[in-house]
Amino acid sequence: MLTFQAQFPNKWELFSFGISVKDVNVHLERERSEGISSPSRVDDSTLLNPETHSSILDDNTKTESRLPEVNGENSDGLCFSDGKSRIDYILVYRKSSSQSEKREVFERNIRAEGLQMEKEASLTNSDVIFLKLHAPWETLCRYAELMNIRMPFRRKIFYMHRRNKFMSRMEKRINKFRGWLPRKPMKLDNNTLPDLEENESFTAPFSRSRIHHFNIHNKDTFFNNATRSRIVHHILQRVRYEEGKNKMGLNRLLSNNSYEAAFPLHEGSYHSKNPIRTHGAENHRHLLYECWAWWGVWYKYQPLDLIRRYFGEKIGLYFAWLGWYTGMLFPAALVGLLVFLYGLFTLDHCQVSKEICQATDIIMCPICDQYCPYLRLSDSCIYAKVTHLFDNGATVFFAVFMAVWATVFLEFWKRRRAVLAYDWDLIDWEEEEDEVRPQFEAKYSNKERMNPISGKPEPYQAFSDKYSRLVVSASGIFFMILVVIAAVFGIVIYRVITVSTFAAFGWALIRNNSQVATTGTAVCINFCIIMLLNVLYEKVALLLTNLEQPRTESEWENSFTLKMFLFQFVNLNSSTFYIAFFLGRFTGRPGAYLRLINRWKLEECHPSGCLFDLCMQMGIIMVLKQTWNNFMELGYPLVQNWWTRRRLRREHGEKAKASFPQWERDYNLQPMNAYGLFDEYLEMILQFGFTTIFVAAFPLAPLLALLNNIIEIRLDAYKFVTQWRRPLPSQAKDIGIWYGVLEGIGILSVITNAFVIAVTSDFIPRLVYAYKYGPCAGQGRAGEGCMMGYVNASFSVFRVSDFEKRSQPRTNGSKLFGEAVKYCRYRDYREPPDSAEPYSYTLQFWHVLAARLAFIIVFEHMVFAIKTLIAYLIPDLPKDLRDRMRREKYLIQEMMYEAELERLQKEKNERKKKKDRAHHKEWP
């Protein structure tokens, strides 16, 4: 503990304000070169009162990892006109606005809180006024203490493990061998692209009384830009603009158009004339663009510490989760591709496909009324081969694998989140108590009761009022779900009507593939309906959430999130559920078809099965949805910003934009979504559902998701860095309510995949035939040779003369087959027309049904048992992190012990001095 004592002379004082010791068992990072350093000199200007705390601070001391000074910083619009005061926040309003009195009171109260401000008119529109805000050092210190912001106060202690000579020699040889190997291509090169983070330090809540303990080499850079903006926003949310307890906060002024926009500034341009590898980064935004948002680094890991430093912990956690999800998709995509390749390579050996392709003598019954002709079973050869690619022996294994994968993904994400929360000082961070929403206060200000925690009066919502609103909201949700079901019902009717239309089409290609054409057009129409209903759902979710009158912002956000997810999930997957579990299941049989409104015959599956329709539905919806989302996320802001630049060039010349200050350039960018990261999370959660819920029917879904996410990460990065105004940095410990949604999807995926394998695919009927009715019956084996005769056994016989009049085909098949068709075949297990009980179910039907039910029960119990076991075996905290946290506790105990020894020693020395002083007084 000698090293510890040398670095911490007064440990009791350090312990008294709640230190957080982290990562004490790591080696000392090598110092960065002086030429590559932090953008703090560009980002942070000198404060207005540099003489403050001069006894504590050394303003001439250079911080570590500093970037070279950029000439003309003041002209970039990062400071006030004096060139010293750093702009921490921007408010924008119009002079023509009618809310001038509220703004005047608000700005007067802003000055009273200690913020400095400066106004400047826009260069492009004199009606637009920019209000620049700057927080002086004293204000930052006061509110950092009130907000309990953790700041670094001592460098970390680094311990080197003692090694024996043999291990040291082995380590040197291993390092020498590693030097011959190429560098990891996915790692960022810290020599040329440093992360610009300070060396890891102990952190503690900031305290002005103990300011001399903190690492304040330069007070201009002690609070980084994100922290400064967060402090200013905290102040603005608590400033009044009128008399009255509800008349306060920037959000209210934005909602009543007193101010048009509010945002922190970007740290300069993301472009540079000089290469970053030779001249270094000019600012954090430039560095993020070069090592994260630029398309050339799509294969590298994300610089999460830089993202967190620039955008805050909440956005940093989103990109950390997205990166983790994308990385976990690699094994899922690989296994799914192997399953698909297995089906491709075994295609020529599949006995069922062979029999279908060779069944030229089997005549199938028409799949629709009147217009559909008789067909040979061999005409379904291509569809049978395509179905085998997705419905083969590896399907069950892949379904179990994906269920286990979803559990492993969530469990290991909890471990990853714990590490990030520890590294980012979020382990002990708790969200502030949510303030009551202004709308709730305005609605229930007449009824108050005492808060049992704070002891202060607060608005109160009666029990009857609260639950009556919840009932109305639930009724609205139910009604919207009925709207989705009605839309699916419309698609079903479209499919029923269109299949007959395509069967009578003049173009032979469409006529011969009427069922595929029907499915393809129905999926495209369904996609259009999905996109239209999504717009309606957002408005309905807002209306219902506001109708509920949630008390706090977090309650409002959770309620809105659940509604939007439920609406969009049902909207996106309802037609897929219909195809997977209802298509072709309730059609009846030839001669006794079930009909909608006693008019339209329900659609049947293709002779090769319904799995082909499900694969087409998932593939088209997934590709179209992801393409549309990527266009709306990046294409729309690009088009909007391009149009703005074009207008400015037309009005002010080609070089006008280069002379704009930073606030003007940021104002011309697009604001972040009104719901923050909601749209980003929702898109990925819905994709996760597509990847897991019906993956047994579409093994390529993880591969498509992986390819999309590799693009999605860079699209979101490019959008955040270049196309959007800088969002307000905020803190968060995890991804919030979305984790519970992911767990729910993981449970649902087990159930749906069990039903897809048992009901939609032909896996169970083939298994029953191989063990019970095939050539190998009773022998305990089920190879391809045991499937001989399966196709003939799975089709029943129908006598054409038993057709209903409205189902009778217009042609009797004599042109195609040379003679009139007397008997045709259909997919079912029924007795022949000449039996004692014609068209009744055979014993094989009941065997298959029992096997399907048994498979569902066994599959679900087995997979849920495996999921539970894996969740139990994988701890939420990694062992090394747990050891580091225990080490932290040990060090704190040592600090307390040594601080107490120092106190006792100090008291002993004081008593000795008093005794010596008294002895000297007695001397004559």
Side-chain angles (χ1 to χ4, degrees):
M1 295 302 297
L2 295 177
T3 305
F4 193 88
Q5 293 175 2
Q7 292 198 14
F8 294 88
N10 193 346
K11 299 159 192 69
W12 177 254
E13 288 187 3
L14 301 183
F15 174 73
S16 62
F17 49 98
I19 67 169
S20 174
V21 185
K22 304 184 309 176
D23 198 17
V24 295
N25 294 322
V26 299
H27 63 84
L28 180 60
E29 296 180 357
R30 58 187 177 87
E31 300 294 334
R32 298 190 177 93
S33 59
E34 295 181 358
I36 302 172
S37 47
S38 167
S40 52
R41 197 178 294 180
V42 176
D43 303 333
D44 303 314
S45 58
T46 307
L47 295 175
L48 293 177
N49 299 315
E51 67 276 4
T52 307
H53 300 292
S54 57
S55 60
I56 299 171
L57 308 175
D58 182 7
D59 291 341
N60 297 323
T61 304
K62 295 182 178 180
T63 59
E64 296 181 2
S65 303
R66 301 287 299 276
L67 282 176
E69 188 92 30
V70 178
N71 295 329
E73 180 185 73
N74 300 343
S75 63
D76 290 340
L78 299 176
C79 303
F80 279 12
S81 57
D82 60 6
K84 297 180 180 180
S85 302
R86 169 73 164 83
I87 298 175
D88 298 318
Y89 212 80
I90 291 289
L91 299 179
V92 185
Y93 67 90
R94 293 183 180 271
K95 289 191 294 184
S96 58
S97 173
S98 60
Q99 307 289 340
S100 57
E101 293 183 2
K102 295 180 180 179
R103 285 198 305 269
E104 290 176 1
V105 175
F106 187 70
E107 291 167 11
R108 192 161 54 244
N109 291 333
I110 287 176
R111 291 191 186 94
E113 292 293 333
L115 296 181
Q116 297 175 1
M117 62 179 62
E118 184 178 81
K119 294 184 180 181
E120 189 162 339
S122 171
L123 298 178
T124 60
N125 187 349
S126 59
D127 188 44
V128 176
I129 304 298
F130 294 98
L131 178 61
K132 299 174 283 186
L133 301 178
H134 165 75
W137 171 257
E138 294 81 3
T139 305
L140 291 172
C141 292
R142 184 171 75 254
Y143 275 95
E145 186 173 9
L146 290 174
M147 297 169 65
N148 289 323
I149 296 177
R150 304 185 73 90
M151 302 302 294
F153 67 90
R154 283 294 185 270
R155 290 281 298 276
K156 278 190 173 182
I157 311 168
F158 297 97
Y159 292 95
M160 299 299 294
H161 295 286
R162 293 184 179 180
R163 300 176 182 273
N164 54 41
K165 295 182 179 179
F166 173 77
M167 292 299 297
S168 299
R169 288 196 302 268
M170 289 297 296
E171 187 175 0
K172 289 180 180 179
R173 292 178 181 176
I174 292 174
N175 291 334
K176 185 178 179 180
F177 174 73
R178 286 178 178 174
W180 297 338
L181 299 175
R183 293 181 179 179
K184 295 181 179 179
M186 300 183 73
K187 293 283 188 181
L188 293 171
D189 189 354
N190 289 330
N191 293 326
T192 55
L193 295 176
D195 59 5
L196 302 187
E197 290 291 312
E198 295 181 358
N199 288 332
E200 293 183 344
S201 304
F202 299 123
T203 62
F206 184 78
S207 172
R208 287 179 291 174
S209 62
R210 297 184 177 90
I211 193 171
H212 54 280
H213 286 302
F214 290 90
N215 286 344
I216 311 179
H217 301 296
N218 188 337
K219 63 182 179 182
D220 300 339
T221 60
F222 179 62
F223 295 104
N224 61 33
N225 298 331
T227 303
R228 296 170 69 100
S229 299
R230 188 152 56 91
I231 291 174
V232 173
H233 182 78
H234 177 86
I235 297 173
L236 296 178
Q237 290 296 88
R238 286 153 180 80
V239 172
R240 296 184 182 275
Y241 58 86
E242 280 184 6
E243 291 299 327
K245 66 178 182 180
N246 298 331
K247 308 297 184 178
M248 63 187 302
L250 176 61
N251 287 345
R252 279 179 168 268
L253 292 176
L254 289 171
S255 62
N256 63 23
N257 296 323
S258 296
Y259 289 99
E260 189 173 291
F263 53 90
L265 286 180
H266 278 296
E267 300 178 1
S269 175
Y270 62 89
H271 280 306
S272 176
K273 298 179 181 178
N274 303 316
I276 190 173
R277 294 185 178 275
T278 57
H279 292 74
E282 294 189 358
N283 52 63
H284 280 162
R285 189 186 186 195
H286 179 214
L287 183 62
L288 277 173
Y289 176 78
E290 292 289 340
C291 67
W292 181 46
W294 180 52
W295 294 104
V297 293
W298 64 271
Y299 59 92
K300 291 186 179 292
Y301 291 126
Q302 301 182 89
L304 294 178
D305 287 334
L306 275 174
I307 299 170
R308 172 241 180 172
R309 182 186 179 98
Y310 194 82
F311 292 111
E313 286 80 2
K314 193 170 186 178
I315 294 178
L317 274 174
Y318 163 71
F319 281 103
W321 175 83
L322 180 56
W324 183 257
Y325 171 44
T326 304
M328 289 293 292
L329 279 174
F330 273 97
L334 178 61
V335 176
L337 182 61
L338 291 177
V339 170
F340 178 79
L341 293 177
Y342 171 80
L344 184 64
F345 292 144
T346 59
L347 188 60
D348 295 334
H349 306 286
C350 179
Q351 181 64 31
V352 177
S353 299
K354 287 180 181 179
E355 291 187 2
I356 292 178
C357 293
Q358 296 170 2
T360 57
D361 55 338
I362 296 180
I363 300 174
M364 301 300 298
C365 297
I367 59 175
C368 66
D369 293 336
Q370 297 183 346
Y371 295 101
C372 294
Y374 297 101
L375 296 173
R376 288 189 175 91
L377 180 59
S378 58
D379 294 338
S380 303
C381 179
I382 296 177
Y383 304 118
K385 291 182 177 180
V386 173
T387 301
H388 178 74
L389 298 178
F390 304 100
D391 186 11
N392 51 64
T395 302
V396 178
F397 161 76
F398 188 56
V400 175
F401 173 82
M402 287 304 297
V404 174
W405 173 87
T407 302
V408 171
F409 161 65
L410 293 176
E411 292 299 320
F412 275 95
W413 163 246
K414 286 196 290 187
R415 294 163 59 88
R416 176 62 173 159
R417 186 208 63 82
V419 172
L420 287 175
Y422 186 77
D423 290 340
W424 292 354
D425 280 335
L426 298 172
I427 288 291
D428 299 324
W429 178 82
E430 295 293 339
E431 292 188 33
E432 297 180 5
E433 183 180 357
D434 283 336
E435 296 184 356
V436 178
R437 297 178 67 242
Q439 295 85 348
F440 185 87
E441 286 183 337
K443 179 71 175 177
Y444 301 102
S445 58
N446 297 329
K447 298 180 180 179
E448 291 187 346
R449 70 172 181 179
M450 195 67 66
N451 188 310
I453 299 175
S454 64
K456 298 179 181 179
E458 63 178 7
Y460 169 69
Q461 184 181 16
F463 177 86
S464 58
D465 180 76
K466 179 179 180 179
Y467 283 94
S468 62
R469 290 176 178 274
L470 287 176
V471 169
V472 174
S473 178
S475 302
I477 295 173
F478 181 71
F479 174 76
M480 293 307 299
I481 293 177
L482 291 180
V483 171
V484 176
I485 296 175
V488 174
F489 185 75
I491 295 294
V492 172
I493 295 178
Y494 167 83
R495 294 172 67 106
V496 169
I497 297 175
T498 310
V499 68
S500 300
T501 304
F502 283 142
F505 209 74
W507 192 8
L509 180 63
I510 300 295
R511 186 173 61 252
N512 296 334
N513 299 277
S514 58
Q515 200 163 14
V516 177
T518 300
T519 302
T521 56
V523 170
C524 294
I525 294 174
N526 183 40
F527 175 76
C528 295
I529 294 176
I530 287 172
M531 303 311 297
L532 290 175
L533 288 178
N534 283 345
V535 178
L536 175 63
Y537 287 155
E538 182 176 338
K539 299 182 182 301
V540 173
L542 273 175
L543 176 65
L544 294 178
T545 306
N546 291 329
L547 178 66
E548 291 177 7
Q549 289 291 351
R551 180 177 175 274
T552 64
E553 289 295 336
S554 63
E555 291 178 4
W556 188 96
E557 183 178 349
N558 290 340
S559 177
F560 179 75
T561 298
L562 284 176
K563 288 181 181 62
M564 281 296 293
F565 170 75
L566 181 62
F567 286 160
Q568 295 227 20
F569 181 82
V570 173
N571 186 30
L572 193 64
N573 293 282
S574 55
S575 58
T576 309
F577 272 88
Y578 164 74
I579 293 176
F581 306 125
F582 297 98
L583 179 62
R585 301 289 179 273
F586 308 100
T587 58
R589 60 169 180 82
Y593 287 122
L594 297 178
R595 297 178 181 275
L596 288 174
I597 323 178
N598 199 27
R599 180 177 180 182
W600 293 299
K601 169 183 167 295
L602 290 175
E603 188 180 4
E604 292 185 42
C605 288
H606 199 273
S608 59
C610 290
L611 206 63
F612 178 78
D613 294 331
L614 182 59
C615 294
M616 182 180 294
Q617 170 83 10
M618 291 189 62
I620 293 177
I621 291 292
M622 195 169 184
V623 171
L624 288 179
K625 188 76 167 62
Q626 292 181 160
T627 304
W628 175 260
N629 287 338
N630 290 336
F631 170 75
M632 291 303 295
E633 285 187 6
L634 184 62
Y636 181 75
L638 276 174
V639 172
Q640 291 285 344
N641 291 332
W642 170 82
W643 181 257
T644 302
R645 290 194 301 269
R646 182 177 179 273
R647 178 177 56 82
L648 293 176
R649 282 197 303 267
R650 188 173 63 252
E651 295 177 357
H652 303 278
E654 290 289 335
K655 298 183 180 179
K657 186 173 181 291
S659 62
F660 287 166
Q662 187 64 44
W663 59 80
E664 189 94 40
R665 283 179 279 178
D666 285 4
Y667 177 66
N668 290 326
L669 296 177
Q670 297 300 306
M672 189 178 178
N673 293 333
Y675 310 118
L677 293 170
F678 171 80
D679 289 338
E680 278 70 24
Y681 273 118
L682 180 62
E683 177 189 356
M684 290 296 103
I685 298 298
L686 292 175
Q687 184 206 80
F688 179 80
F690 255 101
T691 306
T692 55
I693 291 178
F694 293 104
V695 74
F698 192 55
L700 293 180
L703 180 60
L704 293 179
L706 173 63
L707 297 176
N708 174 80
N709 287 7
I710 292 174
I711 300 173
E712 179 76 21
I713 291 176
R714 304 304 159 179
L715 281 179
D716 285 347
Y718 186 81
K719 175 179 61 180
F720 271 90
V721 174
T722 68
Q723 302 301 312
W724 278 1
R725 297 171 190 164
R726 185 177 182 178
L728 179 72
S730 56
Q731 290 185 308
K733 291 181 66 173
D734 51 31
I735 62 176
I737 195 174
W738 295 111
Y739 185 84
V741 174
L742 288 171
E743 287 188 322
I745 291 176
I747 294 173
L748 179 63
S749 67
V750 177
I751 301 172
T752 53
N753 282 307
F755 275 89
V756 167
I757 296 172
V759 177
T760 311
S761 75
D762 285 341
F763 176 77
I764 298 300
R766 293 179 186 180
L767 211 61
V768 171
Y769 178 82
Y771 283 102
K772 183 68 176 176
Y773 297 96
C776 305
Q779 300 180 16
R781 60 189 183 92
E784 288 296 335
C786 300
M787 297 302 298
M788 296 182 63
Y790 168 76
V791 172
N792 187 61
S794 61
F795 287 100
S796 300
V797 179
F798 178 73
R799 186 164 47 207
V800 172
S801 59
D802 294 337
F803 263 126
E804 298 174 299
K805 184 177 181 180
R806 53 183 170 178
S807 300
Q808 186 72 37
R810 293 194 172 187
T811 60
N812 57 9
S814 57
K815 293 182 180 180
L816 184 62
F817 305 106
E819 59 180 358
V821 176
K822 296 181 180 179
Y823 294 93
C824 61
R825 309 292 291 275
Y826 60 99
R827 284 176 59 90
D828 210 341
Y829 297 99
R830 292 180 181 269
E831 297 288 349
D834 299 329
S835 63
E837 297 181 1
Y839 306 123
S840 62
Y841 288 116
T842 63
L843 184 62
Q844 187 175 355
F845 168 83
W846 299 108
H847 284 161
V848 170
L849 180 61
R852 282 174 169 167
L853 296 177
F855 175 84
I856 292 172
I857 295 173
V858 172
F859 181 89
E860 288 181 356
H861 282 72
M862 179 187 70
V863 174
F864 278 130
I866 295 175
K867 286 168 66 70
T868 305
L869 179 63
I870 291 175
Y872 174 77
L873 293 178
I874 300 177
D876 293 345
L877 289 178
K879 184 179 182 303
D880 60 338
L881 178 60
R882 190 165 58 248
D883 292 342
R884 286 156 61 186
M885 296 175 70
R886 290 175 179 173
R887 179 67 174 170
E888 173 183 343
K889 187 180 294 186
Y890 168 76
L891 290 176
I892 292 176
Q893 292 175 351
E894 289 291 318
M895 289 164 59
M896 295 175 62
Y897 173 72
E898 293 179 7
E900 184 67 17
L901 288 180
E902 288 182 2
R903 186 183 65 81
L904 294 175
Q905 185 66 33
K906 186 177 180 180
E907 291 179 355
K908 180 179 179 181
N909 293 337
E910 288 178 355
R911 287 196 301 268
K912 184 177 180 181
K913 288 179 181 179
K914 289 180 180 180
K915 185 177 180 181
D916 291 343
R917 210 177 290 124
H919 177 72
H920 287 309
K921 286 181 180 180
E922 293 176 0
W923 190 261

